[in-house]
């Protein structure tokens, strides 16, 4: 944020504020961008940071482009191993940003906020463009008859802005995109990066006699697109595996939550012994079988795999038999998991019916 919160931003020339808010209808968090008297609502991504704060927050990175003092030699250009970003990371950003522009331009619109301060990074390399649509509202002219007349011009400006972002990433500093530093910046790119990256930057920053398209840079991206696609698919596989585990965890949690509403209930329908009789007594012994077993020496026996296995068998209602021992060890009840499931479901339905007032 600017030093003074009431200071106008450099991007929109208006006083802006940013809030995290929860929608009362869907209970989801959103990011609210307030242009004082006007509020824009965007998806909220916890832990996101801007490209500017991640890659352009080091003042020492500008040393190559700062003017040398009298009597000093020109500093040598930095190398990739001396602080510049790896080329694979830059291409990963290019694929995502060009894909975003392709989607926007195909819809007949323009981004107009392709700037490091408005590009969000979540995780390691996932990019999202923030504040889209703000300029379209702020610069809307009601007197114009054709509001899309300037859209091709804005789309060309998007490509130039993308070129500046890529050049700044290659130089690891925003000083590289200043007009007086462009020659030195391109020399740095030529020394440290591939000709494809150099040609892409030149194509985006050089004015053309014809209208350019974001699709024109696909040949320069080439097979690197498949590298990013493979990485994306691998990440999806990992996320799906983790999601599958959480689905199973959620299923087991619901079982435990329902079991907790039944066990040790002090009173139900004015019957203080309700949880200690009938089907509820079987479920109490099953709870002890899950959590309260001991070794031959009388020490607690804790085995999470035992708990998960028994809960899965209960949920499936398998015909396998189980021995439930009373706490005084004077009685042993042999039942199947299918019997326990029937007791479990009927008892919980009885509680639900009472809670909804149908009893």
């Amino acid at each position: 944020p600017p030093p003074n919160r009431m200071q106008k931003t450099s991007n929109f020339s208006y006083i802006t504020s940013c809030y995290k808010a929860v929608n009362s209808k869907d209970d989801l968090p959103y990011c609210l961008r307030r242009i004082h008297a006007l509020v824009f609502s965007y998806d909220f991504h916890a832990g996101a940071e801007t490209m500017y704060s991640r890659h352009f927050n080091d003042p020492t990175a500008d040393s190559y482009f700062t003017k040398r003092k009298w009597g000093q030699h020109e500093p040598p250009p930095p190398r990739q191993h001396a602080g510049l970003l790896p080329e694979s990371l830059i291409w990963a950003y290019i694929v995502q940003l060009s894909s975003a522009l392709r989607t926007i331009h195909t819809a007949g619109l323009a981004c107009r906020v392709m700037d490091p301060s408005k590009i969000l990074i979540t995780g390691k390399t996932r990019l999202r463009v923030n504040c889209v649509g703000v300029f379209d509202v702020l610069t809307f002219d009601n007197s114009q008859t054709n509001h899309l007349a300037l859209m091709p011009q804005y789309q060309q400006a998007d490509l130039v802005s993308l070129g500046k972002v890529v050049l700044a990433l290659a130089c690891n500093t925003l000083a590289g995109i200043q007009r007086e530093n462009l020659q030195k910046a391109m020399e740095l790119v030529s020394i440290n990066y591939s000709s494809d990256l150099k040609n892409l930057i030149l194509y985006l920053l050089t004015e053309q006699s014809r209208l350019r398209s974001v699709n024109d840079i696909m040949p320069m991206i080439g097979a690197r697109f498949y590298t990013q696609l493979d990485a994306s698919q691998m990440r999806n596989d990992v996320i799906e595996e983790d999601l599958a585990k959480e689905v199973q965890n959620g299923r087991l949690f619901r079982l435990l939550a329902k079991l907790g509403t039944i066990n040790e209930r002090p009173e139900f329908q004015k019957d203080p012994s309700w949880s200690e009789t009938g089907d509820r007594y079987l479920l109490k012994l099953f709870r002890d079988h899950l959590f309260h077993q001991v070794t031959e020496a009388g020490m607690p026996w804790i085995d999470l795999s035992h708990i998960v296995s028994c809960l899965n068998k209960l949920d499936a209602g398998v015909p396998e038999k189980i021995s439930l021992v009373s706490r005084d060890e004077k009685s042993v009840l042999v039942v199947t998991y299918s019997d326990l499931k029937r007791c479990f479901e009927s008892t919980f339905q009885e509680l639900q019916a009472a809670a909804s007032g149908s009893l």
Side-chain angles (χ1 to χ4, degrees):
N4 179 3
R5 289 190 176 274
M6 301 306 292
Q7 176 180 331
K8 295 180 180 180
T9 63
S10 59
N11 296 88
F12 304 124
S13 299
Y14 284 88
I15 299 173
T16 67
S17 304
C18 195
Y19 306 91
K20 174 187 176 183
V22 178
N23 190 323
S24 60
K25 294 182 178 179
D26 58 18
D27 291 329
L28 295 177
Y30 289 85
C31 174
L32 301 185
R33 170 74 62 174
R34 181 187 176 199
I35 313 288
H36 285 236
L38 192 64
V39 177
F40 295 82
S41 177
Y42 297 96
D43 291 338
F44 179 80
H45 297 279
E49 61 178 321
T50 64
M51 179 180 285
Y52 178 86
S53 64
R54 177 172 290 192
H55 294 301
F56 304 118
N57 213 12
D58 182 8
T60 62
D62 299 345
S63 58
Y64 176 62
F65 295 99
T66 54
K67 294 181 180 179
R68 68 180 189 272
K69 297 180 180 179
W70 178 258
Q72 289 184 338
H73 297 288
E74 186 78 18
R79 298 280 181 173
Q80 273 195 288
H81 59 77
L84 295 185
L85 298 179
E87 184 166 349
S88 59
L89 177 62
I90 298 177
W91 282 112
Y93 287 166
I94 291 172
V95 169
Q96 295 181 71
L97 294 177
S98 61
S99 177
L101 286 185
R102 183 176 180 274
T103 301
I104 295 172
H105 291 182
T106 302
L109 302 172
C111 176
R112 304 183 68 182
V113 285
M114 188 60 66
D115 183 89
S117 65
K118 296 296 176 285
I119 298 172
L120 301 181
I121 305 179
T122 56
K124 293 183 178 180
T125 60
R126 182 71 170 94
L127 299 186
R128 291 175 172 88
V129 183
N130 189 22
C131 295
V132 291
V134 173
F135 273 120
D136 299 289
V137 175
L138 296 181
T139 61
F140 182 79
D141 187 356
N142 221 7
S143 63
Q144 289 186 354
T145 56
N146 183 7
H147 299 292
L148 299 179
L150 295 177
M151 204 56 66
Q153 177 181 337
Y154 294 148
Q155 291 178 352
Q156 297 302 299
D158 282 346
L159 297 179
V160 175
S161 298
L162 175 60
K164 290 181 178 179
V165 170
V166 177
L167 180 58
L169 288 169
C171 297
N172 203 25
T173 173
L174 293 176
I177 62 176
Q178 297 176 7
R179 184 178 297 274
E180 64 271 16
N181 294 330
L182 284 179
Q183 182 178 352
K184 293 176 67 175
M186 292 310 302
E187 290 176 357
L188 187 149
V189 173
S190 300
I191 294 172
N192 290 281
Y193 297 102
S194 66
S195 58
D196 283 341
L197 185 61
K198 175 186 175 182
N199 292 336
L200 181 140
I201 295 172
L202 287 174
Y203 178 80
L204 292 174
L205 294 181
T206 305
E207 294 185 3
Q208 305 285 335
S209 57
R210 65 176 182 86
L211 291 179
R212 296 169 295 169
S213 168
V214 69
N215 294 328
D216 297 340
I217 66 175
M218 271 303 296
M220 305 175 198
I221 296 176
R224 299 178 184 90
F225 176 83
Y226 295 105
T227 302
Q228 300 308 314
L229 181 62
D230 289 342
S232 177
Q233 296 289 1
M234 291 177 63
R235 177 168 173 75
N236 284 342
D237 290 342
V238 172
I239 292 175
E240 286 184 1
E241 289 178 4
D242 290 341
L243 178 60
K245 295 176 184 177
E246 293 306 315
V247 169
Q248 299 302 323
N249 291 340
R251 180 177 58 81
L252 296 179
F253 170 77
R254 286 190 292 272
L255 285 174
L256 289 174
K258 292 178 180 179
L259 196 61
T261 63
I262 299 171
N263 293 142
E264 309 292 349
R265 179 170 286 276
E267 183 182 12
F268 180 70
Q269 300 291 345
K270 298 182 180 180
D271 181 5
S273 63
W274 178 82
S275 63
E276 301 290 334
T277 59
D279 293 344
R280 284 80 60 190
Y281 183 66
L282 287 178
L283 296 176
K284 175 183 177 180
L285 296 184
F286 177 70
R287 189 273 312 273
D288 289 344
H289 176 77
L290 276 179
F291 301 114
H292 300 158
Q293 296 204 38
V294 295
T295 65
E296 294 179 355
M299 302 301 293
W301 182 72
I302 299 175
D303 186 354
L304 292 180
S305 62
H306 161 76
I307 297 173
V308 172
S309 175
C310 291
L311 286 174
N312 283 331
K313 292 175 182 177
L314 173 67
D315 194 31
V318 298
E320 179 183 333
K321 293 183 179 180
I322 177 176
S323 298
L324 301 177
V325 183
S326 62
R327 291 187 175 181
D328 58 11
E329 297 183 352
K330 292 182 179 180
S331 58
V332 177
L333 302 178
V334 179
V335 296
T336 64
Y337 280 100
S338 59
D339 293 332
L340 283 174
K341 182 177 182 181
R342 177 186 54 78
C343 298
F344 177 67
E345 291 180 344
S346 62
T347 303
F348 186 73
Q349 287 172 5
E350 184 181 359
L351 289 176
Q352 276 190 313
S356 61
S358 59
L359 280 183

